[in-house]
Amino acid sequence: MNIIITGAAGFLGQRLAAALLQNNVLPFERLILADINTPRPPLEDARVRCVALDLSQPQAAETLIDADCGVLFHLAAIVSSHAESDFDLGMQVNFDATRQLLEVARHKAPAMKFIFTSSLAVFGGELPALIDDGCAVTPQSSYGTQKAMCELLINDYARKGFVDGRVLRLPTISVRPGKPNKAASSFASGIIREPLHGEAAVCPVSPELTLWLSSPGRVVQNFIHAATLPASAFGVSRTVNLPGISVSVRQMLAALREVAGEQVSSLVRFEPDEAINRIVASWPGNFDVRRALAMGFGADEDFQQAIRAFLRDEQAQGEG
Amino acid sequence: MNIIITGAAGFLGQRLAAALLQNNVLPFERLILADINTPRPPLEDARVRCVALDLSQPQAAETLIDADCGVLFHLAAIVSSHAESDFDLGMQVNFDATRQLLEVARHKAPAMKFIFTSSLAVFGGELPALIDDGCAVTPQSSYGTQKAMCELLINDYARKGFVDGRVLRLPTISVRPGKPNKAASSFASGIIREPLHGEAAVCPVSPELTLWLSSPGRVVQNFIHAATLPASAFGVSRTVNLPGISVSVRQMLAALREVAGEQVSSLVRFEPDEAINRIVASWPGNFDVRRALAMGFGADEDFQQAIRAFLRDEQAQGEG
């Protein structure tokens, strides 16, 4: 059995690949890491194959998937602000490429577990204070729209037995390592990461804005868990709102102060950015995730933990 | 200003065309009737152009839409049971062709009112007793999935100003004239129409099943109303659950008895069909449509009225 990760050069792809190689929760023969530029293997391991593949090209899915593929983690995407500024590219990569992967899986490997990373960005507009599984998706971004369309398609492919699809709606991930990116939520890591590195950071949204967050380590555990569950665990819908923690920006900075001190947390200044705020403020800040918890998905204990996990990861990487 | 109707050979398309020609609610220069086979004009009128057009062909939308098009009523679709048995054709016509029309409208006529007929079939699975605008869509058919994907896309096109999209989720239409079709809901007209013609009819679902119904006349009024509303009337979502009446199959037959007598209503016998029941029983039977009513959309008074309207239409046609 082989496992494929798309978007494997990205930071979650690298974390997921490392976790799959290190623990043996999901046994496999080959781990195929695909991205638009050849990804690096996170560890030296004879089971890894790295391939450069532009998923927006017509034959890409056909090249990637064969009958030996047991699990596909489809992480590749054009992120939110980028998909908003380039609608056509977003459609091509976030929607068309996903559809192409589904079609090839349907014909070559219908038993494949197709794990799709959706997002809380499918929600927007007038929302209840607490989102549950019965809540309508009314995305206020093209990114959210494209993800929501894929969710529908994957559920139909699963219902028809074309592919064993599973959809995970990710919370905003914080604290991400590395550089800011074109995601509208990039600040949610930047306002923690940059100060911890002694650098100033700009917060484009109000301190009162509440976010639904997950640490990268926790979300990677949830990815792998999604691939180990039987299809029957999902019931009538293959879409799951992943657990997270509901934290305001003010609480995030208080957690930063608690973990790293006043001097660090004071490196953040507020400079409202309407374009970012319009997208991020349309996302929900709290979910009823009893179904996901009952299925065995997990959340961080609190945001302090997420900051400490980030510091531990950085230290481990510095030593590695 | 020109108006286009796709699926114009269909019975709703013909009714809509006749209404547009007869009343002057929506003034226009040309009325373009398009269908896979050249539609007949419902009335002799110099403003009508009839075109044969296979929307699944790559250049079809480009041929159909020009800058003079002010309103497009996009009614063409592969119906529910047909889209369930031929998934690929359903995707091609119900989704890809709609996307193609949206793309051409975006580049040639972005101010165009793009009226899309969706369906209550976007709902399914575990539903509350009363559906409102905040209710998640979890379609249990490929038809419902394809319609729901179009809804998302049209809302995003509208949000971005690419096209002035409006989505109407139609109730099940009863009483339809003509022959049974491949819609899973075909029986909802058949169990009334055939007995009124002195013919036996088979009901494939339980008498307890509750349907959400609209007469064809009422739904055509709602189509035209959707094209006269300002965009601002829609608020945060361009999708509207159209008003209908909530009636059980038993109540439908009681209404038939009341209008046409015991001898007529006794021509219906029950013969459960699991394939049809699985689709139709997943659709909701009752909606909270206060928003639609406040926007000026309307419903029939009761099902007796819908039967009498059908009889009046048949008589008028017989005389015409």
Side-chain angles (χ1 to χ4, degrees):
Chain A
M1 191 275 270
N2 298 340
I3 299 178
I4 302 175
I5 303 176
T6 70
F11 124 81
L12 281 180
Q14 288 280 308
R15 288 282 299 236
L16 173 59
L20 289 169
L21 291 166
Q22 280 167 330
N23 68 45
N24 217 23
V25 179
L26 214 58
F28 58 89
E29 278 153 51
R30 288 227 171 108
L31 177 63
I32 299 154
L33 305 182
D35 210 309
I36 193 156
N37 298 309
T38 315
R40 286 174 35 183
L43 307 166
E44 284 298 317
D45 191 304
R47 293 172 295 173
V48 179
R49 299 285 177 281
C50 296
V51 294
L53 197 68
D54 179 354
L55 282 174
S56 69
Q57 294 304 304
Q59 292 306 311
E62 191 66 47
T63 313
L64 187 62
I65 295 173
D66 61 28
D68 295 331
C69 177
V71 181
L72 171 70
F73 291 98
H74 180 33
L75 273 55
I78 301 295
V79 295
S80 47
S81 288
H82 195 186
E84 194 61 28
S85 65
D86 191 339
F87 175 83
D88 298 306
L89 180 67
M91 282 298 291
Q92 210 176 18
V93 174
N94 294 344
F95 179 73
D96 292 321
T98 303
R99 181 175 173 188
Q100 208 47 51
L101 289 168
L102 286 167
E103 266 300 282
V104 174
R106 168 186 174 193
H107 294 290
K108 281 190 175 176
M112 180 210 280
K113 296 192 176 85
F114 190 107
I115 318 285
F116 179 69
T117 50
S118 184
S119 161
L120 84 178
V122 297
F123 294 105
E126 290 159 13
L127 291 173
L130 194 67
I131 303 288
D132 64 21
D133 292 317
C135 186
V137 307
T138 48
Q140 300 302 305
S141 67
S142 296
Y143 175 78
T145 299
Q146 291 147 11
K147 289 289 186 183
M149 287 166 59
C150 291
E151 291 185 351
L152 284 160
L153 201 54
I154 292 166
N155 270 277
D156 207 41
Y157 271 64
R159 188 184 61 81
K160 293 196 77 87
F162 291 167
V163 69
D164 186 356
R166 289 111 194 264
V167 174
L168 306 178
R169 287 190 186 137
L170 268 57
T172 295
I173 305 300
S174 179
V175 186
R176 284 176 179 269
K179 300 277 162 209
N181 68 9
K182 283 189 185 179
S185 58
S186 182
F187 77 88
S189 291
I191 60 171
I192 306 297
R193 182 184 59 225
E194 270 68 289
L196 286 172
H197 292 163
E199 297 160 19
V202 171
C203 182
V205 300
S206 150
E208 309 313 327
L209 185 75
T210 300
L211 300 174
W212 181 247
L213 299 180
S214 176
S215 69
R218 174 53 76 176
V219 94
V220 163
Q221 281 178 14
N222 285 333
F223 286 168
I224 298 174
H225 183 66
T228 63
L229 282 173
S232 59
F234 287 80
V236 78
S237 170
R238 294 304 183 94
T239 304
V240 178
N241 295 319
L242 279 189
I245 48 174
S246 180
V247 197
S248 71
V249 169
R250 189 186 301 286
Q251 289 171 318
M252 292 172 72
L253 296 180
L256 179 61
R257 193 179 322 119
E258 190 184 317
V259 172
E262 176 71 34
Q263 212 178 340
V264 168
S265 68
S266 67
L267 286 166
V268 179
R269 69 172 195 282
F270 286 85
E271 243 176 56
D273 178 319
E274 231 349 275
I276 290 178
N277 193 63
R278 200 179 312 119
I279 294 180
V280 179
S282 79
W283 297 345
N286 207 355
F287 286 73
D288 173 352
V289 287
R290 280 174 292 179
R291 173 169 164 252
L293 293 171
M295 292 169 78
F297 293 103
D300 304 295
E301 256 175 66
D302 54 35
F303 192 61
Q304 285 85 337
Q305 276 228 343
I307 298 176
R308 291 195 184 99
F310 170 75
L311 290 171
R312 271 198 309 276
D313 293 341
E314 289 233 313
Q315 199 175 12
Q317 207 148 47
E319 289 163 0
Chain B
M1 193 273 270
N2 297 341
I3 298 178
I4 302 174
I5 302 176
T6 71
F11 124 82
L12 281 180
Q14 288 281 308
R15 290 280 301 233
L16 173 60
L20 289 169
L21 291 166
Q22 280 167 330
N23 68 46
N24 217 22
V25 179
L26 214 59
F28 58 90
E29 278 155 49
R30 290 230 169 106
L31 176 63
I32 298 154
L33 304 182
D35 210 309
I36 192 157
N37 297 309
T38 315
R40 287 174 34 184
L43 308 167
E44 284 298 316
D45 192 304
R47 294 171 295 173
V48 178
R49 298 285 177 283
C50 296
V51 294
L53 198 67
D54 179 355
L55 282 174
S56 69
Q57 294 305 306
Q59 292 306 310
E62 191 66 47
T63 313
L64 187 63
I65 296 174
D66 62 27
D68 295 330
C69 176
V71 181
L72 171 71
F73 292 98
H74 179 33
L75 272 55
I78 300 296
V79 294
S80 48
S81 288
H82 195 185
E84 194 61 28
S85 66
D86 191 340
F87 175 83
D88 298 306
L89 180 67
M91 282 297 293
Q92 210 176 17
V93 175
N94 294 345
F95 179 73
D96 292 322
T98 303
R99 180 175 174 187
Q100 208 48 51
L101 289 168
L102 286 167
E103 265 302 281
V104 173
R106 167 188 174 192
H107 294 291
K108 280 189 174 175
M112 181 211 279
K113 295 193 177 84
F114 189 107
I115 318 285
F116 178 69
T117 51
S118 184
S119 162
L120 85 178
V122 298
F123 295 105
E126 291 159 12
L127 290 173
L130 193 68
I131 304 287
D132 64 20
D133 292 317
C135 186
V137 308
T138 47
Q140 300 302 306
S141 67
S142 295
Y143 176 77
T145 299
Q146 291 148 11
K147 289 288 187 186
M149 287 166 60
C150 291
E151 292 186 350
L152 284 161
L153 201 56
I154 292 166
N155 270 278
D156 206 42
Y157 271 65
R159 189 184 61 81
K160 293 195 77 88
F162 290 167
V163 69
D164 188 356
R166 289 111 192 264
V167 175
L168 307 178
R169 287 191 187 136
L170 267 56
T172 295
I173 305 299
S174 179
V175 186
R176 285 177 177 270
K179 299 278 163 210
N181 67 11
K182 284 190 183 178
S185 58
S186 182
F187 76 90
S189 291
I191 61 171
I192 306 299
R193 182 185 58 225
E194 270 69 289
L196 286 171
H197 293 161
E199 298 160 20
V202 171
C203 182
V205 301
S206 150
E208 309 313 326
L209 185 75
T210 301
L211 301 173
W212 181 247
L213 299 180
S214 176
S215 69
R218 176 52 76 174
V219 95
V220 162
Q221 282 179 13
N222 285 332
F223 287 169
I224 298 174
H225 183 66
T228 63
L229 282 174
S232 59
F234 287 79
V236 78
S237 170
R238 294 303 183 93
T239 304
V240 179
N241 294 320
L242 280 189
I245 49 175
S246 180
V247 197
S248 71
V249 169
R250 188 186 302 284
Q251 290 171 317
M252 291 172 73
L253 295 180
L256 179 61
R257 192 178 323 117
E258 191 183 317
V259 172
E262 176 71 34
Q263 211 179 339
V264 168
S265 68
S266 67
L267 286 166
V268 179
R269 70 173 194 281
F270 287 85
E271 242 176 58
D273 179 322
E274 232 348 276
I276 290 177
N277 193 63
R278 200 179 311 121
I279 295 179
V280 179
S282 80
W283 298 345
N286 207 356
F287 287 73
D288 172 352
V289 287
R290 279 175 292 181
R291 171 168 165 254
L293 293 171
M295 292 169 78
F297 293 103
D300 304 295
E301 255 175 65
D302 54 35
F303 192 62
Q304 285 84 335
Q305 278 230 342
I307 299 176
R308 292 196 183 98
F310 169 76
L311 290 169
R312 270 198 309 276
D313 293 342
E314 289 232 314
Q315 200 176 9
Q317 209 148 46
E319 289 163 359

